[in-house]
Amino acid sequence: MNSWKSKWLTIAGGFILLSSLLWPAGESVTQAAVFRDTGNHWAKKTIEWAAAQGIVDGYEDGTFKPEALVSEPEFLAMLIRAFPEAGTVSGAAAGEAWYAGYYTFAKDRNWPLLLNPDAAQYNRGHVARLVAGVAGQRLSVDGAVQYLLDKGFSQGKTSATVEGYAAADPLTRAEAVQFLQNAKMRGLAVQALPEPPGLNGEQQVRGISLGDTEAFVLAELGQPARRDLSKYGFDWYIYNRDPLHYTQIGIRNGQVVGLFTSGKDWRVSADIKPEMSRSQIASVLGDPLAFILKGRTRFTLGSDGESDVYQLGKAYATFYYDTQDGDAVAGIQLIAEETEQGLAAFYSEPSLRLRDSYEQEIFDLANAARAARGLSPFVWNDQVARVARVHSEDMQASGYFEHTNPAGQEPWDRAVQAGIRYSGYAENIAAGQTDAFEAHFGWLNSRTGHRENLLDENMAELGVGVAFGGKLEVYYTQNFYTKR
């Protein structure tokens, strides 16, 4: 027998609340909490329902803060509490964040996650993908929004359309509990998603494997911030909105052929963990490759301990290390065997697009390194970037590799000449590295000031300039800048 607990109709905040609320027979209902800041709020009844069910709590001062933003782990915790039949979440171990068990629970079920606890970075689009994933649907943001609308889990924010849903808007506490009530009333059945298909499902970056389709990547990660050219000729899809999880996905002919991340959300085998050191990886995988044989040509590999290359099945894995932090893994790249074998030279064909790609990637990698250490990100500066590019072009054309140019100018002299007024200014240069990864990790591991420049908390802006050609094939300059 079912019992009707309340009957009401509210249209506010972009949601349409159904005119009656049906509690399933046998479900325990406790006394609804009364919050002193929800008296006239459009979601008052829903908030009381969620509190009564133990889905969400109020604050010690007796408020609920219905318009406060919700982070991904907070929404994930609410969702799992709303559907206890999904399973039990393990408590966080000593030293772990409170939400560690919730993330483990969701990862074990392959649910689509942002993996960022910052509420300012979480939006209604992320919610749509998660709710659709919990329902067994692996969809793009737009596809997930349409799924929610079709199922009645949401009526949108301004209208019941993909545009009216407002996927880019943040999620409030009131909206979060409304999503969950709608989902329960409409019969959402919580389930795990199957492992995505791929060339080798054991090797993944943020749930993406070599061999996955472009459509799958867009469904999992959304549209990239930009699309860069790689030295292999394929496009890198750049995901840089969260520097802690900085990711590049290589796409050729609609298929994933390359992966890179400086974050920790990757795996190559059950025995290799992101927190392992170079020696620990070698204890599992053995000696790294000394060369790659392409046809009859041996391409010798050497990195002075900054990186190692292994062949893992049908992929080449490059581990980039931080030699000043216990040789910890600071980045990993996976390239499909056929793609690596297809690059018959150390250096790619120069182009303006490749130059721009390297410049932007070096900037992103610098911010990823800073984020990993809790430092504020750099802001890109076009004027400083022009000075950096001119210096790279001058080194290439004039055949030197120095901070001091043939005219005797130091980096700060070139800045003043360009009309840049500064309170702080520094320069890193590199040459001969085959791509942005090698240039960046070379600087990160430097013991002659380059690392200090990258991680200087007093530097606020950055410009990068690259030039191809010359005796060393490619020249890199990055200039760090703080306004006067």
Side-chain angles (χ1 to χ4, degrees):
M1 177 177 178
N2 294 319
S3 59
W4 298 89
K5 295 298 180 183
S6 62
K7 295 184 179 181
W8 40 281
L9 174 64
T10 305
I11 302 178
F15 290 95
I16 299 176
L17 310 183
L18 300 182
S19 59
S20 57
L21 178 60
L22 178 63
W23 298 100
E27 183 173 332
S28 174
V29 180
T30 60
Q31 180 64 39
V34 177
F35 302 106
R36 60 186 181 85
D37 60 344
T38 60
N40 296 317
H41 196 274
W42 63 267
K44 178 178 183 296
K45 294 287 187 179
T46 308
I47 291 168
E48 292 174 353
W49 165 82
Q53 296 302 300
I55 295 170
V56 66
D57 297 319
Y59 293 87
E60 291 183 357
D61 62 359
T63 64
F64 182 79
K65 296 183 174 56
E67 298 307 310
L69 299 187
V70 173
S71 67
E72 178 176 67
E74 288 170 339
F75 183 74
L76 187 59
M78 293 181 198
L79 187 152
I80 294 171
R81 292 171 192 157
F83 295 89
E85 66 273 16
T88 303
V89 175
S90 300
E96 286 186 322
W98 68 266
Y99 49 79
Y102 290 99
Y103 268 150
T104 298
F105 185 95
K107 287 180 181 179
D108 287 345
R109 288 154 180 78
N110 299 311
W111 292 346
L113 298 167
L114 177 63
L115 294 173
N116 187 334
D118 183 359
Q121 301 298 316
Y122 198 55
N123 61 39
R124 291 164 57 88
H126 296 129
V127 172
R129 293 197 64 238
L130 176 57
V131 173
V134 166
Q137 304 293 317
R138 193 185 299 277
L139 301 170
S140 65
V141 171
D142 286 353
V145 169
Q146 190 61 59
Y147 179 81
L148 263 62
L149 297 173
D150 292 343
K151 291 293 184 179
F153 297 162
S154 173
Q155 296 292 332
K157 192 166 185 177
T158 59
S159 65
T161 64
V162 172
E163 294 76 18
Y165 175 87
D169 286 2
L171 182 74
T172 68
R173 282 167 60 82
E175 290 172 338
V177 296
Q178 188 61 62
F179 268 119
L180 295 174
Q181 188 185 67
N182 290 350
K184 281 191 74 74
M185 293 175 64
R186 293 290 188 175
L188 172 64
V190 177
Q191 56 191 289
L193 278 172
E195 284 274 3
L199 181 64
N200 186 343
E202 194 174 35
Q203 300 168 5
Q204 293 185 354
V205 168
R206 289 179 66 178
I208 308 298
S209 299
L210 297 175
D212 283 336
T213 65
E214 177 188 19
F216 175 73
V217 172
L218 296 178
E220 283 293 288
L221 303 181
Q223 288 293 332
R226 64 176 189 275
R227 303 184 186 194
D228 289 351
L229 181 63
S230 75
K231 70 179 181 182
Y232 297 94
F234 62 68
D235 280 355
W236 281 120
Y237 284 29
I238 306 297
Y239 293 90
N240 62 3
R241 294 181 181 90
D242 178 6
L244 274 177
H245 301 282
Y246 178 68
T247 301
Q248 298 185 198
I249 307 295
I251 303 289
R252 172 177 279 160
N253 298 326
Q255 189 174 54
V256 176
V257 295
L259 299 164
F260 171 85
T261 185
S262 56
K264 300 296 185 183
D265 189 13
W266 58 265
R267 71 185 190 197
V268 295
S269 76
D271 299 320
I272 300 294
K273 308 297 182 184
E275 60 271 15
M276 293 173 72
S277 67
R278 184 188 188 202
S279 61
Q280 290 172 321
I281 290 172
S283 70
V284 176
L285 299 180
D287 293 333
L289 296 177
F291 62 87
I292 296 178
L293 184 63
K294 300 181 180 181
R296 297 183 178 181
T297 303
R298 287 189 177 192
F299 287 77
T300 303
L301 304 171
S303 64
D304 298 325
E306 294 173 3
S307 64
D308 287 324
V309 180
Y310 293 89
Q311 185 164 12
L312 303 177
K314 294 183 179 296
Y316 289 95
T318 303
F319 295 92
Y320 297 95
Y321 306 110
D322 186 338
T323 60
Q324 298 183 47
D325 185 20
D327 287 337
V329 177
I332 183 171
Q333 177 181 250
L334 294 164
I335 299 294
E337 180 181 36
E338 183 179 0
T339 299
E340 181 63 55
Q341 288 291 326
L343 181 64
F346 272 116
Y347 299 96
S348 183
E349 185 71 24
S351 69
L352 293 179
R353 187 181 175 214
L354 188 64
R355 178 199 68 184
D356 294 346
S357 297
Y358 284 179
E359 290 173 352
Q360 292 296 318
E361 287 166 22
I362 287 172
F363 174 76
D364 286 336
L365 288 163
N367 278 340
R370 290 173 72 85
R373 294 158 180 83
L375 301 173
S376 299
F378 290 123
V379 175
W380 177 268
N381 186 299
D382 281 329
Q383 186 179 19
V384 173
R386 284 194 293 271
V387 174
R389 185 181 290 169
V390 167
H391 186 57
S392 289
E393 291 172 345
D394 189 41
M395 288 191 291
Q396 177 268 321
S398 301
Y400 71 97
F401 178 59
E402 299 286 348
H403 292 288
T404 306
N405 66 19
Q409 291 179 318
E410 301 291 347
W412 36 90
D413 298 322
R414 294 189 287 273
V416 171
Q417 184 180 51
I420 298 172
R421 297 170 60 85
Y422 60 85
S423 62
Y425 202 83
E427 179 176 87
N428 285 348
I429 57 174
Q433 291 80 2
T434 62
D435 58 20
F437 304 131
E438 286 194 4
H440 166 75
F441 287 108
W443 285 325
L444 184 67
N445 287 300
S446 168
R447 297 183 181 273
T448 56
H450 304 87
R451 181 187 181 95
E452 286 76 9
N453 290 338
L454 270 171
L455 304 179
D456 188 342
E457 61 184 10
N458 296 314
M459 289 295 182
E461 301 185 35
L462 175 61
V464 183
V466 173
F468 293 111
K471 292 188 298 183
L472 299 179
E473 300 288 350
V474 56
Y475 294 79
Y476 306 88
T477 302
Q478 55 180 185
N479 288 133
F480 307 89
Y481 165 62
T482 300
K483 295 178 182 177
R484 178 179 294 180

